[in-house]
Amino acid sequence: MDSSINKKERGFAGVSLEDLPKSHSFTSKLPGDPKVPTPESSRMATTENVQLLLPRMVKDGLFVYVKPDEHDMAKTEVLAVSPAAMRDLGLKLDEKESEEFKKFVVGNRLFEEESYPWAALYGGWQFGDWAGQLGDGRAISMFEGTNPSTGVRYEVQLKGAGRTPFSRFADGRAVLRSSIREFLVSEALNALSVPTTRALSLSYFTNEKVLRERIEPRAIVVRMAESWLRIGSFDIHRLRQQRNLLIALADYCIEEVFGGIEMIVNEAKKNGYGDAYEGLDHRYRILYKEIVRRTAETTALWQVYGFMNGVLNTDNVSVYGLSMDFGPFSFMDTYDPTFTPNHDDHFLRYSYRNTPTIMWWNLVRLGEDLAELYAVDDPAFLATEEYLSSGIPESKFEDFVGRAEKIIEEEGEFYKSVFEKHYAAGFARRLGLTQTKDTDKDGIIESALELMKVHKLDFQHFFRRLGGVSVFAKDAIDVEVIASVFLTGQRGIGVPSTEESANSIYEWLTNIYRPRLEEEGSTDDRARKSRMDNVNPKFVLRNWILDEVIERVEKLGDRKVLDHVLHLALHPFEEAWTAEEECLERYKDEQRFSGDVPMEGQGIMCSCSS
Ligand code: AMP
Ligand code: MG
């Protein structure tokens, strides 16, 4: 076992995979595809009517029973397992050595009696256009596992497990490159307390290749989430006018995903949103608000940590407020609000600056999906045959649209207020402030971002290094010190001179930062540093690091680097990880990975191909 795994993880006591309590509420509470109505019919289809399990339109139901591909175990290798995800799911760590676990993570061990695997239907708005049926084209859900000690239930999926009815023209497989990225970033975001889907393991196949822009090795990530539902899960039923399925899904989401209306409202009250939920008597309005709230909070945290998903189509936007479906994502290097990590995003739709707006655009699609449910004048009408077959009658349509528009508008205001609250609070924490003021967003936060933009400062290092600057020690802020702290990376073309930048930072520190700290009585540099070190990561999973990991794993057969970078991602706030005398090679990698971004590693973009 990695000797640097912290105490909490070492003391972890979990159960075996076999003993993990398993359920399948998704397939037992929701209607499935009537063409494959039971696990038995899916089993039979594999020999008698395999077309049913291959790409096609699934016109009814919310999922299809389908199994992952089987593999020759001798040709599989588990490349990495996240101890944090094992702990959170409730598995004991040494379970990863068991044959059962090794079989499970590549799709060779099913728990059919407890839960027959399935692929879920969803649709999506992609880059502004309706894309029709999408669905789990290469992810297969195996079961929901409940952590016996925390009670948290995760739906566990194999991504890259083979074709399903939702694979469209593609192969149902995932390449090692994108699997390494998804595996590591899931755990990195979680370590930063950004809500996210998780990754349990990464495996690959020594004998299987996949064709993308080039031929690449095939891999599987086992991933888990409290829910894999997306806005696109709702979109498709509205566009198909399948009102019964829309209602079934909304009810499932309320009861099974969020634990019921009472739970939603109580949680909201605990989080200081009592007023916003007060007096809402319509369950579907509460559902919409809950999704708006979660999305706003997570979007704010993405901005605070400079994280960009790169493809925020509605099929990639979680209703649980999780970061999910990682393709061309990126953490910001040099601060540039117009940066998009997606090579194909020519209109900068998914750039850093546009992210909050585009997430609201996505939430408006959800508002439209749910509109009939929350804006109907009489909720009892939703249960009638008339509604299910024809929707809102024409005579009532105008009133209905007026109500729906008003509600979406109100939720827009709510989105904005939740987003701004978390945005300001998050940046305030990163700046070492103990309180947030209404003026901070347009004041100290905006000025810090402007400083980073004009002087091309590294978004991540800025905060960590700011924590180390003694603002109150007599004569401590001097221009030379500033240059040696903030301006250590290579300076590109068109960047102000070092002297000019150091002077501007000096002015910001003395005229804006220090007075703001004084104002709230935070004049202890050491206390501020320790607060800041707990929220400002020293290690950030940047794209240049991922590129290096991929290269080393794929081309050089290096296995250690994955565990090493996973360890850094799981413990991002440490000042140092490995002592120089303990292991020089690890130490050197850590210095590089947590140091200045090399010039050629700045702002790397990715394509959607994965
Ligand atoms: P993504 O762009 O990865 O979010 O995927 C969009 C849609 O394409 C989803 O329905 C995916 O399941 C599907 N998809 C992406 N890659 C593949 C693949 N290699 N095989 C099957 N389906 C895929
Ligand atoms: Mg997706």
Side-chain angles (χ1 to χ4, degrees), residues 122 126 133-139 159 162-163 166-174 212 230 311 313 315-316 325 608 610:
Y122 53 81
Q126 298 189 321
Q133 174 180 304
L134 300 169
D136 289 332
R138 53 176 169 168
K159 182 168 177 183
R163 282 205 289 176
F166 308 108
S167 301
R168 298 183 291 163
F169 43 82
D171 57 9
R173 300 176 173 199
R212 294 293 182 266
R230 304 122 199 281
V311 198
N313 294 328
D315 51 305
N316 292 339
D325 277 21
C608 287
S610 63

Side-chain angles (χ1 to χ4, degrees), residues 584-596:
L584 185 62
E585 207 184 319
R586 275 175 82 95
Y587 172 81
K588 278 187 174 163
D589 275 350
E590 287 164 12
Q591 293 290 308
R592 282 194 308 118
F593 291 157
S594 61
D596 290 319

Side-chain angles (χ1 to χ4, degrees), residues 372 390-404:
E372 290 186 357
S390 320
I392 308 285
E394 231 177 284
S395 61
K396 296 187 164 186
F397 202 72
E398 216 179 299
D399 280 355
F400 153 73
V401 170
R403 272 195 305 277

Side-chain angles (χ1 to χ4, degrees), residues 28 62 92 102 120 177 217 306 325 405 467 532 549 556 580 583 598 608:
S28 60
L62 289 135
K92 54 184 179 190
K102 288 180 184 165
R177 166 177 50 87
D325 277 21
E405 279 176 353
M532 289 173 76
V549 173
L556 309 175
E580 195 172 351
C583 177
C608 287

Side-chain angles (χ1 to χ4, degrees), residues 128-145:
D129 294 321
W130 175 240
Q133 174 180 304
L134 300 169
D136 289 332
R138 53 176 169 168
I140 297 183
S141 287
M142 305 302 285
F143 54 72
E144 297 141 1

Side-chain angles (χ1 to χ4, degrees), residues 442-458:
D442 296 327
I444 187 161
I445 295 169
E446 191 51 39
S447 68
L449 292 173
E450 187 61 21
L451 189 71
M452 284 188 245
K453 187 173 100 181
V454 172
H455 299 283
K456 306 252 189 310
L457 303 183
D458 185 276

